[in-house]
Amino acid sequence: MAEIMFQEKRAETPNARQRKPVGILQDNRKSELTLQKQQLAPQQHSINLPDKGQTFLPVPEFGSPARITADGVAQRAKIWEDFDSYRGANLASQNTIGAYSTKYEIPLMVTKVDEYSHDDRQIGKVDRGYALYQQRFAAAVTAAGAANWNAVAGILKSLVVNINEALDGVANVPTGYAANDGANWANVQTAVGAAHGAVNAGVAGVAPQSHSPDARAIRTINYSTAVGVFPPTLVRLLRDIHAAWKTGQVMDQRSQAERDASVLTANNPGALRSWHMNTSATLPAAPGGVTPPNAVALENHYTATSGVMNALGVAPPPGPVGYAEYTGTGILNDAHNSKIILDYKRGDVYLTLTHYQHWSNIGAGFNTQGQVPCAAGAHSPWFKIDINA
């Protein structure tokens, strides 16, 4: 039986607040689910399903609204991928449903509806849907081989639709990508050291386009490893950029005004930037071929709302070459060093934590070595994130 991480609810005291059933709101607009969440013990531990006394609430939490700087950006939390897209050819099961719920932080998204929506009807639909989902999931686990996991999946899919509908259009719902989140890496050196330590030693490096003998191969980090090493803000952003690409949506956290003005350097995490041309040749050669159907909307949006940062004395290209660049996150109060590249023709994801610069951790310690491959550059500027591993 799969082991899933949960947090255990504290026992109520005689002075515990009287609470109404799920779906009936309190005066302070907190639902039963939110009130339960406030009483959770901070210790995380493992249990084996089923245990109906447990509350299905993952950690970590988004940053509090007081720590979110919107700066006019239309930030909005959203579940980017439907369960059917996530499971692919796999059957609905305890494993696929539980893994999806954990990856997309479904209980946490329910609390976002409670905290930010102003529509009592939508809040009630989400809370009742989540309570039903918990009940049916627990019942399916108990039924073991006779479990109707398709029915549980149907309830889950309806819940996700209701969550997204409730959050759609609500201003400044935190995305959970904030650069000022307290869980982010303290600085670039810490970030690079942690990422380098998470490299998959069993996977050969990806060759860059450059043929220089000093060019460095790009090392791979499995997404499943990154989840336990990277700050939650960065994990969420990597997850959502890829999920949006996979499902044919456009991820771009620039404001509408920034898009209209073709702003190329927006600092908020998840903002599309200038067309990345791989001029330093430190990434693999730009992907060729036909743009896949799921990436057409992104390519069209990128072409229409962005451009080349510096044409380097040559005629500017007619459009992007297949690499979409995003402002990254994960380093505390830093909007400069973390950048994410999506190869939107192949679905590959690359991360730099040194603003495209090679780096070394030998001799005098951590140093950046510039964008051009050189003998002093001990490591590639990039890590490849294998989202499917």
Side-chain angles (χ1 to χ4, degrees):
M1 184 174 292
E3 187 177 74
I4 301 179
M5 301 299 293
F6 295 106
Q7 286 186 319
E8 189 173 24
K9 188 173 71 174
R10 287 188 183 131
E12 294 187 13
T13 66
N15 295 325
R17 176 178 178 174
Q18 293 292 335
R19 292 174 274 127
K20 299 178 183 178
V22 171
I24 301 177
L25 302 180
Q26 308 297 311
D27 291 341
N28 65 352
R29 300 188 57 78
K30 302 294 185 184
S31 72
E32 165 73 4
L33 179 62
T34 303
L35 291 170
Q36 287 181 0
K37 177 177 174 296
Q38 292 172 344
Q39 297 182 15
L40 293 177
Q43 288 293 97
Q44 187 183 67
H45 54 91
S46 301
I47 63 166
N48 287 319
L49 290 175
D51 185 337
K52 298 178 183 178
Q54 300 301 316
T55 303
F56 292 60
L57 291 171
V59 291
E61 173 62 283
F62 287 170
S64 66
R67 303 210 320 267
I68 300 297
T69 303
D71 293 334
V73 178
Q75 296 188 46
R76 180 167 63 85
K78 177 182 180 180
I79 300 171
W80 286 88
E81 185 175 17
D82 179 74
F83 174 68
D84 284 340
S85 172
Y86 171 80
R87 71 183 177 93
N90 297 312
L91 298 176
S93 66
Q94 178 179 346
N95 181 59
T96 55
I97 292 174
Y100 174 83
S101 180
T102 298
K103 181 175 182 179
Y104 285 96
E105 302 174 291
I106 300 300
L108 180 56
M109 297 299 290
V110 173
T111 71
K112 296 296 104 180
V113 173
D114 291 338
E115 293 169 9
Y116 290 91
S117 178
H118 299 288
D119 186 332
D120 288 359
R121 183 182 62 85
Q122 289 279 20
I123 294 171
K125 284 174 61 178
V126 169
D127 287 347
R128 289 190 297 272
Y130 182 60
L132 179 61
Y133 163 69
Q134 287 183 297
Q135 293 166 6
R136 294 292 176 85
F137 188 98
V141 172
T142 301
N148 187 348
W149 288 107
N150 287 329
V152 179
I155 297 169
L156 174 62
K157 288 187 287 185
S158 177
L159 173 62
V160 169
V161 169
N162 288 336
I163 288 172
N164 284 342
E165 287 180 350
L167 294 176
D168 188 23
V170 178
N172 298 325
V173 180
T175 56
Y177 315 140
N180 62 352
D181 189 273
N184 285 352
W185 287 309
N187 51 47
V188 174
Q189 181 174 357
T190 301
V192 171
H196 184 61
V199 163
N200 188 337
V203 175
V206 179
Q209 180 180 357
S210 173
H211 296 298
S212 165
D214 294 319
R216 295 300 189 264
I218 302 165
R219 305 303 301 274
T220 297
I221 300 174
N222 293 344
Y223 175 80
S224 58
T225 302
V227 168
V229 175
F230 288 8
T233 53
L234 182 54
V235 170
R236 291 183 182 119
L237 186 54
L238 292 165
R239 174 197 71 190
D240 290 347
I241 286 173
H242 187 268
W245 168 84
K246 179 181 176 181
T247 56
Q249 302 176 75
V250 176
M251 159 66 91
D252 183 2
Q253 288 294 315
R254 287 179 295 176
S255 67
Q256 189 59 54
E258 288 172 329
R259 299 178 191 186
D260 293 343
S262 295
V263 172
L264 307 182
T265 57
N267 284 333
N268 48 299
L272 273 172
R273 301 178 63 83
S274 59
W275 298 341
H276 190 91
M277 310 307 294
N278 195 27
T279 53
S280 64
T282 52
L283 286 171
V290 178
T291 301
N294 60 294
V296 169
L298 173 61
E299 183 175 61
N300 291 342
H301 171 83
Y302 197 30
T303 302
T305 64
S306 189
V308 175
M309 176 70 71
N310 186 342
L312 300 178
V314 301
V321 298
Y323 285 136
E325 179 174 344
Y326 289 89
T327 299
T329 191
I331 303 173
L332 188 62
N333 295 321
D334 179 271
H336 178 71
N337 287 291
S338 178
K339 301 291 185 290
I340 297 168
I341 298 293
L342 169 68
D343 175 345
Y344 61 78
K345 294 195 175 183
R346 292 179 289 217
D348 294 333
V349 178
Y350 298 93
L351 169 70
T352 177
L353 297 167
T354 54
H355 200 194
Y356 327 123
Q357 294 195 72
H358 293 76
W359 59 275
S360 65
N361 58 351
I362 56 178
F366 176 81
N367 289 284
T368 53
Q369 307 292 345
Q371 296 184 28
V372 178
C374 60
H379 298 285
S380 168
W382 302 98
F383 297 96
K384 179 179 179 180
I385 310 300
D386 188 346
I387 297 291
N388 299 311

